Amino acid sequence: MKILSVASAMPQKRVRNEELAAFLDTSDEWIRTRTGIEERRLLSGDERLESLAHQAAQTALSRAKLRPDELDYILCANVISDYITPGLGAVVQGLLGASCPCFDLNAACAGFIYALQAAQGLLKSGAKTILILCAEMNSRLCDWTDRRSCVLFGDGAAATVVASGGEDFLFQMTAQSNPAVLYAKNAPGNSPFHNPWPAEYLTMNGQEVYKFAVGAACSGIRALLEFSGLSTKSIRYFLLHQANLRIIESVREKLGLAPSLFPTNIQRYGNTSSVSIPLLLDELFQGGKLKPGDQLILSAFGAGLQTGNCLLSLA
Ligand code: UT7
């Protein structure tokens, strides 16, 4: 598999920590020192997630010099969109004017890595070109009266075009069911036959998830290095899911590596779930910081608890 292009499209509205402190019992100082976040982008007014995803997809296709009708598949990593059904990928397929099959997958913050692995399988079964969309409206999941969660998240979309050719990507995936530590529950509906749970906004045991994330990222990265026989010196960048700067710092310290190997953008976007790693990739490509032959390790963790780790070589 090879990556042909990456693009992102972020909401217009920039919300700084101080703006949250105006209606929540929080402060810029707390958010910045505990998480590294300075601001996030949030959907506002009539802005739609499907439009952001469409815009990211169009840019990625144009960077890859491909037309929508040349796509063999669209995979969309998404936790919540305006639709329960159809999946967001099917909505964006129509906006693009593509005619290929598509499906959504929900692996929370690890969604991009799961989509990459699924794409590699589809390429091996005959597909030639695949669009991976990651699009998240975390602002819809959060309780905006709960300072423990809403300050952490942001919205956005990213699109990645992958194609057959290049070297196999190597994956290390895990799932360890534990919905209690990080969940949100759907609206109950009105079936006269069923007693559903009430809807609940995103609820997280931050410290449990923090400990899990540090341990899982370290072991996922070590497993990829061991399996590939590569040393950390061969890796151009380690791109970690942007959930908390302290998590990234802790993983980096445990691996004994330099800060420059761990690019971050959580300061400007908060936790954008499945979008965070392709958003980083887009920034690195656009900043001229990546070249063919560079080897990258991607590592994501989140609700599930699911993790995805990937070692890839840029074609
Ligand atoms: O992408 C999904 C994966 N998610 C993650 O990886 C998140 C992992 N967890 C974390 O990043 C951190 O645990 C948090 C950022 C969520 C919380 O940081 P923490 O250092 O673990 O803080 P804490 O939960 O231990 O809370 C410390 C204090 C508490 O007050 P008391 O009980 O000590 O008086 C909280 O009530 O900070 C308080 N607090 C806040 N204060 C001001 C919690 N949220 C806030 C806030 N502003 N926004």
Side-chain angles (χ1 to χ4, degrees):
M1 177 158 74
K2 60 185 175 193
I3 293 178
L4 296 187
S5 66
V6 187
S8 54
M10 303 305 282
Q12 295 281 318
K13 188 164 181 61
R14 220 180 263 270
V15 179
R16 297 191 57 77
N17 293 339
E18 291 84 352
E19 284 186 60
L20 302 181
F23 64 91
L24 280 171
D25 180 15
T26 189
S27 64
D28 174 50
E29 205 259 336
W30 191 95
I31 301 171
R32 212 181 267 259
T33 53
R34 298 282 178 140
T35 71
I37 299 165
E38 295 164 21
E39 61 182 39
R40 70 285 294 138
R41 301 292 187 91
L42 298 175
L43 288 163
S44 64
D46 292 326
E47 208 170 25
R48 294 275 159 254
L49 186 64
E50 64 192 65
S51 311
L52 290 184
H54 178 210
Q55 195 187 321
Q58 279 184 313
T59 310
L61 284 172
S62 108
R63 286 180 182 163
K65 301 189 171 45
L66 283 172
R67 297 185 313 270
D69 64 6
E70 292 176 288
L71 289 171
D72 293 320
Y73 247 102
I74 297 173
L75 308 190
C76 181
N78 168 252
V79 174
I80 187 169
S81 77
D82 281 321
Y83 293 86
I84 291 175
T85 192
L88 185 61
V91 174
V92 178
Q93 187 242 34
L95 296 173
L96 279 173
S99 51
C100 58
C102 47
F103 66 91
D104 280 23
L105 64 89
N106 177 350
C109 302
F112 179 58
I113 317 291
Y114 276 81
L116 277 177
Q117 192 181 37
Q120 182 158 283
L122 288 166
L123 293 171
K124 283 184 188 294
S125 75
K128 296 269 180 292
T129 316
I130 298 175
L131 173 68
I132 297 175
L133 290 171
C134 295
E136 305 289 2
M137 50 193 303
N138 291 318
S139 59
R140 178 74 77 82
L141 288 175
C142 291
D143 176 354
W144 285 91
T145 65
D146 180 4
R147 67 177 185 174
R148 290 168 303 168
S149 56
C150 70
V151 305
L152 306 173
F153 293 94
D155 302 328
T160 308
V161 180
V162 293
S164 51
E167 288 174 29
D168 277 356
F169 290 19
L170 189 61
F171 293 94
Q172 198 267 357
M173 319 295 282
T174 70
Q176 168 180 318
S177 178
N178 192 353
V181 296
L182 178 48
Y183 67 88
K185 288 182 182 162
N186 235 331
N190 69 350
S191 165
F193 303 106
H194 184 222
N195 298 325
W197 290 323
E200 275 184 72
Y201 288 117
L202 189 130
T203 303
M204 177 168 68
N205 181 331
Q207 292 190 358
E208 282 295 310
V209 179
Y210 189 106
K211 275 184 267 170
F212 166 77
V214 173
C218 287
S219 59
I221 292 169
R222 286 193 180 113
L224 287 176
L225 291 170
E226 196 177 324
F227 194 77
S228 62
L230 292 177
S231 92
T232 53
K233 290 197 176 62
S234 312
I235 307 301
R236 180 72 187 92
Y237 288 119
F238 297 81
L239 304 184
L240 266 58
H241 169 49
Q242 305 285 294
N244 187 325
L245 209 52
R246 285 159 55 215
I247 293 178
I248 299 168
E249 271 302 295
S250 177
V251 172
R252 182 188 72 70
E253 275 171 19
K254 284 181 194 304
L255 296 172
L257 297 169
S260 58
L261 295 174
F262 289 73
T264 59
N265 61 16
I266 186 171
Q267 298 87 341
R268 284 172 287 126
Y269 299 112
N271 179 345
T272 56
S273 200
S274 69
V275 177
S276 84
I277 291 179
L279 179 60
L280 259 183
L281 269 174
D282 182 30
E283 291 186 338
L284 292 170
F285 273 119
Q286 293 311 303
K289 300 210 168 109
L290 294 172
K291 57 178 188 325
D294 280 349
Q295 309 208 76
L296 307 176
I297 285 187
L298 320 180
S299 180
F301 41 81
L305 298 166
Q306 278 151 286
T307 76
N309 299 277
C310 173
L311 168 63
L312 66 99
S313 184
L314 292 175

